[in-house]
Amino acid sequence: MSRTRTERLVNLVICLLSTRRFLTAAQIAATVPGYEHDPEDPKDHEAFQRKFERDKSELRELGVPLETGSASVFDTEPGYRIARRDYALPDIPLAPDEAAAVGIAGRLWQHAGLAAAASSGLAKLRAAGVDVDPQATLGVEPIVRVDPTFAPLTAAARDRRTVAFDYRVPEQDGPTSRRLQPWGVVCWRGRWYVVGHDLDRAAPRCFRLSRVVGAVRLTGRPGAYEPPRDLDLISYVARFSGPIERTGRTTVLVRKGRAAGLRRWAQETVPGPEVDRVVLRYADVDFIATQLVNYGPDVRVVEPPEVRDAVIQRLKETAARHESPVLA
């Protein structure tokens, strides 16, 4: 199945799970990315109908409980929906490491391409007067931040295609051109790296995504190389990135009995009657701000201003994502 069709099917499932009423084919076409067409053009509309019929069959073959019905007795066109009670999985016991892996994978998926399309589609449903269950959209919120080069580099690694990009390092005045056969993209200590074979240096190298300047350019055909067997991306990044230097220092107020995970790596803790004063070392403002935001109202930043501002900005972005669109 192509990536475009996969994304369309996922967005279709999100759309049908997000409302309890039946949606007609016309409503789905106006909502789900990938179904855009001119309903007044017979050929264009016929192509949409064929595509929609194929997708419905695909969902049913995958076990998705797609229902057909109508919202009222006055409806002349059938509608479609997915019964959440039949679609939901039973409780699945996971070990802590398995749960962590699933959580990371889910967060990456949410950010890496579908969240924006899904949110846009749900906004269109609301604008059309269709009630949307707010709880159904929580699973597609973009939680993890990734760099703009994340998508093209992961795609190139998947397709085994050589890439070229401009890369800057602090020790040099300007960026240099690099050619890489990417093996994969990995997160290490709060930063994203691509690991691969550097063609100019004829050796394995890793590059931090935030230091890539401009667009990633595809320069080779698909399937042009094979990564090493038993590849361990984390080991490559750990070897080349060197020891982490936590030169920053932030002071936060933590509610009594809360944020146990944060307290475990505190450098200093001063108990108080209602909140404790906790001092943390950090290497990267973005990383420490993301960690602090995860604890919600249980943690408040005292200093420095750069960490406090970064936390406030993330809270504003989170609030904006959950605001309902105002209809004029």
Side-chain angles (χ1 to χ4, degrees):
M1 188 186 301
S2 68
R3 180 181 177 184
T4 301
R5 188 180 179 193
T6 300
E7 292 182 355
R8 187 176 70 242
L9 287 174
V10 172
N11 280 310
L12 175 59
V13 170
I14 292 172
C15 173
L16 297 178
L17 278 173
S18 300
T19 178
R20 291 181 173 85
R21 64 174 289 184
F22 290 95
L23 298 179
T24 65
Q27 290 173 316
I28 291 171
T31 302
V32 177
Y35 286 136
E36 299 88 350
H37 72 286
D38 182 4
E40 302 299 327
D41 184 332
K43 290 185 177 180
D44 201 17
H45 186 61
E46 183 180 351
F48 157 72
Q49 290 178 317
R50 289 197 303 268
K51 183 190 300 183
F52 186 45
E53 290 299 323
R54 286 196 303 267
D55 289 351
K56 287 191 298 179
S57 299
E58 182 76 25
L59 291 182
R60 290 185 172 116
E61 289 176 4
L62 292 172
V64 177
L66 184 63
E67 296 181 344
T68 303
S70 57
S72 73
V73 295
F74 301 103
D75 290 338
T76 58
E77 184 180 352
Y80 306 90
R81 71 180 181 186
I82 296 174
R84 203 175 309 162
R85 64 182 181 277
D86 298 327
Y87 186 67
L89 288 172
D91 291 338
I92 301 175
L94 294 174
D97 57 341
E98 294 173 327
V102 171
I104 292 172
R107 288 179 182 132
L108 292 182
W109 176 85
Q110 290 156 14
H111 190 94
L114 294 177
S119 298
S120 173
L122 297 180
K124 292 178 183 177
L125 283 179
R126 294 190 187 97
V130 177
D131 291 330
V132 173
D133 185 351
Q135 297 301 317
T137 66
L138 295 181
V140 295
E141 294 297 333
I143 297 176
V144 170
R145 292 167 170 261
V146 292
D147 298 277
T149 53
F150 177 88
L153 285 173
T154 52
R158 179 197 62 210
D159 298 335
R160 307 289 185 251
R161 298 189 66 177
T162 302
V163 297
F165 52 83
D166 295 330
Y167 190 75
R168 60 175 173 80
V169 293
E171 297 81 11
Q172 298 178 353
D173 294 333
T176 58
S177 180
R178 314 303 284 261
R179 295 184 302 140
L180 185 74
Q181 293 176 337
W183 298 338
V185 178
V186 66
C187 185
W188 170 248
R189 290 173 172 169
R191 298 186 178 96
W192 289 98
Y193 297 84
V194 59
V195 182
H197 180 73
D198 189 321
L199 294 175
D200 298 309
R201 287 153 182 79
R205 288 291 186 270
C206 67
F207 300 91
R208 191 192 301 181
L209 267 59
S210 61
R211 291 179 177 171
V212 175
V213 179
V216 174
R217 304 176 296 279
L218 297 173
T219 62
R221 59 180 178 80
Y225 60 89
E226 283 295 328
R229 295 182 178 273
D230 302 321
L231 181 62
D232 184 350
L233 297 177
I234 288 292
S235 296
Y236 276 95
V237 176
R239 187 187 317 147
F240 286 107
S241 63
I244 189 169
E245 297 182 4
R246 293 187 173 91
T247 56
R249 176 185 171 102
T250 182
T251 302
V252 298
L253 301 180
V254 183
R255 287 182 180 176
K256 284 290 186 182
R258 312 294 291 186
L262 198 66
R263 295 173 184 272
R264 280 197 292 269
W265 52 286
Q267 182 187 36
E268 178 185 340
T269 301
V270 180
E274 297 182 0
V275 296
D276 299 332
R277 195 176 185 89
V278 177
V279 177
L280 305 164
R281 290 282 188 182
Y282 66 92
D284 182 81
V285 172
D286 289 336
F287 178 74
I288 186 64
T290 301
Q291 297 302 309
L292 295 175
V293 166
N294 290 335
Y295 293 97
D298 293 330
V299 174
R300 181 162 61 89
V301 180
V302 177
E303 58 180 4
E306 61 176 0
V307 174
R308 186 172 59 247
D309 293 343
V311 169
I312 292 172
Q313 180 61 31
R314 278 156 182 73
L315 292 173
K316 288 181 178 179
E317 292 172 357
T318 301
R321 288 200 299 268
H322 290 277
E323 285 181 356
S324 299
V326 178
L327 301 179

